[in-house]
């Protein structure tokens, strides 16, 4: 078959991800699609995968993607005639200590929240299910009956056949060597067999995805890591339907294979491969066996399955797999190139993800927007920092090493830090700040009082910072605090069509006079919330846009992508030009008055306004907004003056009891005030109406805007879900998110955020209550509620208004 000179879509890579994507593009979208593979299909990482297929993740959407894989694998043979080796054996995860057990109780609750049946079983039950195991050290295990295992090569060949049956053309031994580009778009894919012009390219090149992306100027931050497992001779007594087994406290996993065991693990001292380019001639290749390195797993595995000591090792597999700095895979539209999409970096769960990842990626490629909330895997979660290969490698190896460690809430990574620091870093350190890191920025999470080591001590229950954060919280409610939010992403949009463009991109009305602020959502074509940010009008043709640290690349690209062609509206990222100090609390005005000659009275500087004021000789953009529900200003300071402005605030604020405050207090304050967080409470899966943000949508105006049609289509139909606030009085309870919401004893949703409100003295959670027959305030308030927290039912109260509204009570002016 000759390579065509044109194809609508070119998929690069014939591993499980490329084949699944081509299959779905052809089957679901009837796309004119070709797949190019430099060697033979499966010859990269896919052929040597162990084939365990697990489904549960901490994101509901990703769990849905993985569940889809299982559904697909079950039925694929019937469609293509090629078996996939799928066996629904179920999966046991073992717990040998109480923290792990708590983790499983939370996981089992998450599973139920996501509609999966995970149970916890006793050591005796484990022994019955897997008799060859030593269970003497077990607290118990989690049991997910619908997990299983499959043959990676067979599934991939079956997907490839299915793709061909639906009209895709797959080419082996064709290497992509570069791209012909114009204005940030790929015009042609260059190969060693000739060029192919195309509309879109999907980069599914596995561990080569980084260098294939680089040929088009895009960054795919993954790191190949050596991963080993063994296949043993037959183990007497091992059932062919034995559940797959994960023993995270011993860092190992097991799977039955032709009467023997596949056994591998995640060591704390992983071996990264190259941080340079991966050789192209790596077809069906492995690294040399490394028994010295593997010995740590062997010892642990023999203690778990003593019979292993008596059987021989048939084969060792030591292969490269792409891992990423946060353990999530990489999907979606590359921000640097308008027609390249990526599906790579599968962190040793590419077989489990393959079916579903191909399904959502194909839809994404065709529509140009993610079909569901795929934020945790979105390539736009990365930034310039992720071009630093050494940093990516260090962080990725740390994430690999943590694959099986207990996941404590609020845990921070340690590697590659500090990377980006605000000008206040040393000052905040002197105030005993304990930092976290977000998109490379060091940010103060909390401040340790004298006599306490400035360091997180993780635990499953309340952690060591709980008390000090409470003090910070109260300080903001009662006096005044200053938050270093310099890591905020900031953009400027200028041009004679800037207002028109923002009016089209934003759901709220930004066409207010100069000096006004607008809090707005950006919606996708389904009416789902793609971003949540503040727009300040600085001049007729100039806007300043502020959004969350982590959303920097995503929001910038979303806005840029949607500026209509030919309009005079230029968007630039100015994040590093401004430090941001948020001065918040009832005494905020007193402090501000003391450092500026500008009139900051309520009459001269009301809520929702932006003014340029002078502090310590610097011209500061002051935005009268709040995320904590107190009187306050976000002060956007020229970066070089941030230190002096901070010092001026602290000096003048001494009389008003000012102190620096961290991000954990911020979270608690915003929960009480009912402010939603994008990525958890509000996502592309949720409309503003469902989120209780309908007031911020300009449907009453004539202006067309993104998402308008979808919202209009919803019309007056009742909502089928609505965000609500819940409180739990019991102080012993710890909410971490994803707890199941029970209404009159029936599951109706789960928490999207969970935390503690120190002013109200209660645990607080947000979550959507769902009901196919309609949800409104009356429906919500009529029910009686409980939350399932780590498998325990606890009484909860629902609230439709913010729990704490100082503006209504105290801060009148
Ligand atoms: C030892 C080991 C055990 C594993 N066990 C499991 C498991 O139990 N469960 C699980 O879910 N996952 C497991 N995995 C992970 C799984 O193998 C991968 O996540 C998955 O195979 C990735 O598929 P892919 O399509 O992204 O990459 P690949 O299979 O590597 O496919 C990428 C393809 O792109 C081709 N390509 C690259 N550059 C070019 C170019 N320039 N032109 C044309 N083609 C190109 C390559 O030749 C390659 O075939 C394991 C991995 C390893 C290493």
């Amino acid at each position: 078959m000759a390579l065509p000179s044109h194809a609508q879509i070119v998929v690069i890579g014939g591993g499980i991800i490329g084949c699944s994507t081509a299959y779905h593009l052809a089957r679901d979208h009837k796309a004119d699609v070709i797949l190019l593979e430099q060697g033979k299909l499966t010859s990269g990482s896919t052929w040597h995968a162990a084939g365990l297929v697990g489904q549960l993740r901490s994101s509901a959407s990703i769990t849905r993607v993985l569940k889809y894989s299982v559904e697909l694998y079950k039925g694929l043979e019937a469609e293509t005639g090629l078996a996939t080796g799928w066996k629904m054996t179920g999966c046991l995860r073992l717990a040998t200590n109480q923290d792990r057990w708590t983790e499983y109780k939370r996981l089992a609750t998450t599973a139920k929240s996501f509609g999966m049946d995970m149970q916890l079983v006793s050591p005796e039950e484990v022994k019955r299910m897997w008799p060859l195991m030593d269970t003497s050290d077990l607290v118990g295990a989690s049991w997910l009956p619908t997990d299983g295992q499959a043959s990676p090569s067979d599934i991939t060949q079956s997907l490839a056949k299915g793709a061909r049956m639906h009209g895709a053309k797959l080419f082996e031994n064709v290497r992509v060597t570069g791209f012909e580009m114009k204005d940030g778009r790929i015009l042609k894919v260059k190969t060693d067999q000739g060029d192919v012009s195309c509309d879109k390219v999907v980069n599914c090149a596995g561990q080569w995805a980084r260098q294939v992306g680089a040929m088009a100027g895009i960054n795919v931050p993954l790191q190949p890591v050596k991963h080993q497992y063994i296949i043993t001779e037959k183990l007497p007594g091992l059932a062919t339907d034995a559940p797959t087994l994960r023993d995270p406290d011993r860092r190992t996993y097991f799977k039955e294979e032709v009467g023997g065991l596949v056994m591998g693990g995640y060591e704390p001292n992983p071996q990264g491969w190259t941080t340079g380019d991966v050789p192209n001639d790596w077809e069906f290749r492995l690294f040399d066996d490394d028994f010295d390195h593997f010995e740590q797993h062997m010892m642990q595995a023999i203690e778990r399955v003593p019979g292993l000591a008596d059987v021989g090792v048939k084969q060792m597999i030591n292969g490269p797999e792409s891992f990423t700095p946060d353990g999530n895979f990489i999907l979606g539209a590359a921000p640097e190139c308008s027609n390249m999409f990526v599906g790579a970096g599968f962190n040793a769960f590419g077989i489990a993800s393959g079916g579903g990842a191909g399904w959502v990626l194909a839809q994404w490629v065709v529509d140009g927007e993610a079909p569901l909330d795929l934020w945790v895997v979105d390539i736009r979660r990365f930034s310039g920092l992720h071009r630093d290969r050494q940093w990516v490698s260090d962080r990725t190896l740390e994430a690999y090493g943590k694959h099986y460690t207990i996941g404590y809430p609020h845990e921070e990574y340690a590697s590659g830090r500090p990377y980006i620091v605000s000008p206040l870093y040393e000052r905040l350190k002197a105030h005993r700040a304990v930092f976290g890191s977000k998109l490379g920025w060091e940010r103060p999470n909390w401040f340790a009082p004298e006599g306490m080591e400035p360091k997180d001590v993780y635990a499953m229950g309340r952690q060591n910072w709980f008390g000090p954060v409470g003090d910070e919280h109260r300080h903001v409610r009662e006096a005044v605090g200053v938050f270093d939010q310099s890591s905020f992403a900031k953009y400027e949009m200028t041009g004679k069509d800037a207002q028109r463009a923002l009016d089209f991109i934003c759901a709220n009305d930004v066409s207010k006079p100069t000096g006004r602020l607008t809090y707005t959502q950006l919606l996708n074509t389904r009416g789902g919330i793609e971003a949540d940010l503040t727009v300040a009008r600085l001049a007729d043709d100039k806007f300043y846009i502020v959004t969350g640290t982590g959303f920097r690349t995503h929001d910038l690209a979303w806005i840029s992508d949607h500026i209509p062609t030919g309009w005079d509206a230029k968007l630039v990222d100015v994040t590093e030009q401004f430090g941001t100090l948020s001065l918040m609390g009832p005494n905020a005005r007193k402090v501000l008055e003391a450092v500026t000659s500008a009139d900051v009275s309520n009459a001269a500087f009301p809520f929702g306004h932006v003014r340029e004021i002078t502090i310590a000789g610097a011209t500061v953009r002051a935005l009268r907004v709040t995320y904590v529900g107190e009187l306050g200003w976000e002060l956007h300071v020229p970066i070089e003056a941030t230190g002096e402005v901070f010092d001026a605030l602290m000096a003048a604020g001494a009389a008003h009891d000012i102190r620096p405050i961290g991000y954990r207090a911020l979270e608690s304050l915003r929960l009480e005030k009912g402010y939603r967080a994008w990525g958890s409470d509000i996502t592309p899966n949720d409309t503003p109406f469902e989120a209780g943000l309908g007031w911020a949508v300009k449907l009453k105006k004539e202006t067309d805007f993104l998402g308008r049609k979808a919202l209009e289509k919803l019309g007056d139909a009742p909502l089928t879900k609505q965000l609500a606030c819940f409180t739990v009085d019991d102080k012993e309870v710890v909410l971490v998110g994803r707890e199941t919401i029970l209404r009159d004893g029936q599951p109706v949703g789960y928490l999207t955020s969970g935390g503690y409100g120190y002013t109200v003295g209660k645990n607080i959670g947000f979550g959507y209550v769902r009901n196919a027959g309609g949800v409104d305030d009356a429906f919500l308030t009529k029910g009686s509620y409980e939350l399932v927290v780590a498998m325990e039912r606890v009484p909860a109260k629902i609230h439709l208004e913010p729990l704490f509204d100082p503006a209504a009570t105290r801060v009148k002016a």
Side-chain angles (χ1 to χ4, degrees), residues 256-317:
E256 185 277 339
E257 188 163 299
V258 277
L261 274 179
V262 161
M263 187 278 287
Y266 289 86
E267 58 279 16
N269 54 338
Q271 298 176 314
W273 194 20
T274 174
T275 54
D277 283 357
V278 172
N280 278 323
D281 57 341
W282 193 265
E283 200 180 351
F284 294 119
R285 275 182 63 185
L286 295 172
F287 302 110
D288 292 340
D289 298 348
D290 187 348
F291 276 100
D292 285 347
H293 192 69
F294 196 72
E295 194 187 354
Q296 51 186 320
H297 297 315
M298 206 66 216
M299 284 161 56
Q300 293 289 348
I302 289 172
E303 286 190 20
R304 179 61 66 213
V305 185
L308 268 180
D310 306 319
V311 294
V313 173
K314 211 160 63 179
Q315 195 185 357
M316 171 170 254
I317 301 282

Side-chain angles (χ1 to χ4, degrees), residues 13 16-17 37-38 45-46 48-52 176 321 348-352:
I16 189 164
I17 306 303
E37 163 56 49
Q38 65 182 355
S45 288
T46 296
H48 56 62
L52 283 83
V176 172
E321 161 68 344
F349 64 105
I351 308 307

Side-chain angles (χ1 to χ4, degrees), residues 12-19 36-54 152 174-177 204-209 211-212 215 225-229 246 253 255 266 280 282-283 286 317-323 343-354:
I12 304 169
I16 189 164
I17 306 303
C19 290
L36 307 177
E37 163 56 49
Q38 65 182 355
K40 294 274 178 253
L41 296 180
T42 77
S43 64
S45 288
T46 296
W47 69 279
H48 56 62
L52 283 83
V53 175
V174 178
R175 175 168 299 144
V176 172
T177 54
C204 300
Q207 59 179 339
W208 295 266
Q211 62 220 54
V212 168
M215 295 193 267
V225 181
K226 297 177 178 177
H227 186 70
Q228 298 195 91
Y229 66 83
R246 290 182 172 85
Y253 60 82
K255 167 197 132 177
Y266 289 86
N280 278 323
W282 193 265
E283 200 180 351
L286 295 172
I317 301 282
N318 185 2
E321 161 68 344
S322 334
F323 287 81
F346 277 86
N347 296 278
F349 64 105
I351 308 307
S353 319

Side-chain angles (χ1 to χ4, degrees), residues 638-656:
I639 195 85
E640 61 284 356
T642 313
E644 278 123 68
V645 170
F646 176 80
D647 293 343
L649 291 172
M650 290 300 286
H656 307 288

Side-chain angles (χ1 to χ4, degrees), residues 7 25 192 211 235 275 492 500 604 619 661:
L25 281 166
D192 56 2
Q211 62 220 54
L235 184 66
T275 54
E492 281 178 2
R500 219 157 49 106
T619 305
I661 309 285

